[in-house]
Amino acid sequence: MQAVIRLHRANNYGYNLDLMILRNIFSDRTICKAVAAIILPLLLHSCAALKEDYNSECETGVKIKLQVAVNVNVGTGVNTSVDIDSSPAKVEKFYAEVHSVKFFVFDSTGTYIDVWGMEGKELLQKNDYTMDIPLGKGFYNVVALTGLEDTKYIVPTLTKGVSTIEDLNVKLERDAQNHQDKYLTPLWTGYTSKAVEVKEFSLTPIIIYVNVRKLTNTVIALLQDLSGKEVLSENYDFEIKADNGYLNSRGSLMPDDTITYSAYLKSNEQIESATIARAEMNTLRFDAKKNTRFVVTEKNATKADGTPKKILDINLTKYLLLTRSLYEGKVGFKLTEQQYLDYEDEYAIVFFLTPTGKVDDPYICVTININGWIIRLNEFEL
């Protein structure tokens, strides 16, 4: 069997290859060797041409992959993966909650290059949350943000070649009185802890891992009167007060006004013979060093001195951290206070209220239940 190979260039990145079969000159094996010797260098040349044209459809070999992390302050880079939360429940929650993701890419100096994103059907088709990015040789910083389809998250418009990574931030929308009472779409964020080097295009994909953590929290508060008296949610205002509505590209809190988060959902629940009040609230990232207040106030009621009649007014983060050591004993590893607050994102808190008979201070709370852990407060009056 014989073959003559006729080659002509079709465009900047590809070639058309014609084979005219001529019998009785070359063997099939010889033909295969000849074709391979010609095609392989051309394929490498085609992909190398991408260095000068980001709009080409040729595969670049650079991928960015999201992973759920315990602590994203360390361990992000090329083809490395550490501090990953392998809890199936946590990973499943991530997949269930995230409906869009944006990758903001900066150069080694922190100057903005561009943003790429996936959402909707594309995410469902690529549920490993890995995206091909056309990056040439160089050093890059990557910031990932999810949930930006929620217009309550305000992100500035960045200018290519001008804006920097310090210009990327997320500010929570609030009214003129710094009040927020809406459900917040889960906000996850992650970043590369240092500039990642992409050396060259390769047939073997270069994977840049970005470990993400969740920055939104849900607090479900329940009030139960231990005397059996019904507690109705419509008779109370539930609020979280925190200055945590402004975050930089690394998810750290920036100076902000105190936001009052009110319940976006209230209901009354029947447990055996008791009617208890239930309220759900969202807030952004808890800071272990800040005094985040949880306040429950009786509506249309004041004390003798004219001040609102508060049922509860506590340092919320302090109480949440009471369960940290219990949780560490369960999972078998240590977490700092901030790591624990970042690791958990949903808190169900039951306040067991004992009537005092006092008009101005109608209850004391000596027992609370946080995510199933019972905390006894030794006659601590709230």
Side-chain angles (χ1 to χ4, degrees), residues 140 175 208 274:
Y140 301 96
D175 65 19
I208 300 175

Side-chain angles (χ1 to χ4, degrees), residues 122 184 207:
E122 188 176 10
L184 300 179
I207 302 177

Side-chain angles (χ1 to χ4, degrees), residues 2 11 17 39 60 194 209 222 231 275 322 341 348 375-376:
Q2 301 173 347
N11 51 49
L17 187 64
I39 290 178
T60 67
K194 61 181 179 180
Y209 288 93
L222 301 102
V231 184
T275 301
L322 290 176
L341 292 174
I375 308 293
R376 302 192 185 281

Side-chain angles (χ1 to χ4, degrees), residues 59-60 84 104 120 134 140 146 194 196 200 211 267 287 291 298 301 338 354:
E59 177 67 52
T60 67
I84 302 304
F104 296 83
Y140 301 96
T146 78
K194 61 181 179 180
V196 175
E200 60 185 15
N211 300 340
S267 63
D287 189 326
N291 183 359
E298 187 176 344
Q338 190 59 54
T354 301

Side-chain angles (χ1 to χ4, degrees), residues 51-102:
K51 296 178 182 179
E52 298 178 358
D53 187 351
Y54 283 174
N55 294 322
S56 171
E57 295 181 357
C58 185
E59 177 67 52
T60 67
V62 179
K63 298 177 180 291
I64 298 180
K65 181 176 178 61
L66 294 184
Q67 297 182 124
V68 181
V70 173
N71 177 13
V72 300
N73 291 323
V74 295
T76 52
V78 172
N79 298 341
T80 60
S81 171
V82 299
D83 285 338
I84 302 304
D85 178 10
S86 58
S87 163
K90 196 80 168 182
V91 174
E92 287 176 9
K93 176 178 284 190
F94 173 76
Y95 287 144
E97 292 181 346
V98 174
H99 304 295
S100 71
V101 58
K102 289 187 181 295

Side-chain angles (χ1 to χ4, degrees), residues 54 129 163 219 229 232 278 310 338 350 358:
Y54 283 174
Y129 287 75
S163 300
V219 175
K229 180 181 177 181
L232 302 177
R278 184 181 188 276
K310 295 179 180 179
Q338 190 59 54
V350 183
K358 300 177 182 179

Side-chain angles (χ1 to χ4, degrees), residues 88-328:
K90 196 80 168 182
V91 174
E92 287 176 9
K93 176 178 284 190
F94 173 76
Y95 287 144
E97 292 181 346
V98 174
H99 304 295
S100 71
V101 58
K102 289 187 181 295
F103 296 105
F104 296 83
V105 179
F106 303 82
D107 66 17
S108 59
T109 68
T111 302
Y112 176 60
I113 295 176
D114 209 340
V115 60
W116 287 267
M118 294 189 296
E119 62 183 12
K121 292 182 179 179
E122 188 176 10
L123 274 181
L124 294 176
Q125 294 168 355
K126 297 182 177 180
N127 61 3
D128 62 347
Y129 287 75
T130 300
M131 186 175 187
D132 299 319
I133 302 291
L135 298 178
K137 182 178 180 181
F139 288 82
Y140 301 96
N141 293 284
V142 180
V143 176
L145 285 169
T146 78
L148 297 186
E149 71 273 14
D150 189 333
T151 57
K152 292 185 288 295
Y153 299 130
I154 303 170
V155 176
T157 300
L158 303 183
T159 303
K160 297 178 184 179
V162 177
S163 300
T164 70
I165 197 168
E166 301 303 325
D167 296 320
L168 178 60
N169 51 64
V170 180
K171 191 166 188 177
L172 181 64
E173 182 183 60
R174 73 291 301 263
D175 65 19
Q177 287 73 44
N178 291 316
H179 182 253
Q180 171 58 250
D181 62 355
K182 302 294 191 300
Y183 169 79
L184 300 179
T185 298
L187 176 66
W188 295 71
T189 186
Y191 62 96
T192 48
S193 55
K194 61 181 179 180
V196 175
E197 182 180 9
V198 174
K199 293 183 178 180
E200 60 185 15
F201 290 88
S202 171
L203 295 179
T204 301
I206 297 172
I207 302 177
I208 300 175
Y209 288 93
V210 180
N211 300 340
V212 294
R213 64 182 169 194
K214 190 175 178 182
L215 297 182
T216 44
N217 292 282
T218 300
V219 175
I220 302 171
L222 301 102
L223 304 182
Q224 181 174 352
D225 186 320
L226 292 180
S227 71
K229 180 181 177 181
E230 68 177 11
V231 184
L232 302 177
S233 62
E234 56 265 31
N235 294 335
Y236 299 93
D237 289 323
F238 298 79
E239 297 174 331
I240 295 173
K241 297 179 181 290
D243 55 340
N244 64 349
Y246 194 21
L247 304 160
N248 66 16
S249 61
R250 294 169 292 281
S252 298
L253 298 183
M254 299 176 67
D256 192 20
D257 297 324
T258 297
I259 298 177
T260 298
Y261 299 88
S262 296
Y264 61 84
L265 178 64
K266 294 199 293 186
S267 63
N268 299 312
E269 305 293 334
Q270 195 73 28
I271 299 181
E272 296 180 347
S273 60
T275 301
I276 66 176
R278 184 181 188 276
E280 289 189 26
M281 291 154 285
N282 280 144
T283 182
L284 293 188
R285 188 184 184 194
F286 287 124
D287 189 326
K289 298 179 181 179
K290 290 183 178 291
N291 183 359
T292 298
R293 308 299 299 180
F294 174 64
V295 182
V296 178
T297 307
E298 187 176 344
K299 284 187 174 182
N300 304 317
T302 58
K303 294 183 178 182
D305 61 3
T307 59
K309 185 181 289 188
K310 295 179 180 179
I311 304 302
L312 299 169
D313 186 353
I314 63 172
N315 182 335
L316 181 58
T317 49
K318 173 184 174 182
Y319 281 85
L320 298 181
L321 287 170
L322 290 176
T323 63
R324 177 172 64 106
S325 60
L326 299 172
Y327 185 82
E328 289 173 339

Side-chain angles (χ1 to χ4, degrees), residues 333-348:
F333 58 85
K334 295 290 185 179
L335 292 169
T336 67
E337 290 185 343
Q338 190 59 54
Q339 285 175 335
Y340 178 65
L341 292 174
D342 287 339
Y343 187 74
E344 288 287 3
D345 64 274
E346 186 171 301
Y347 300 91

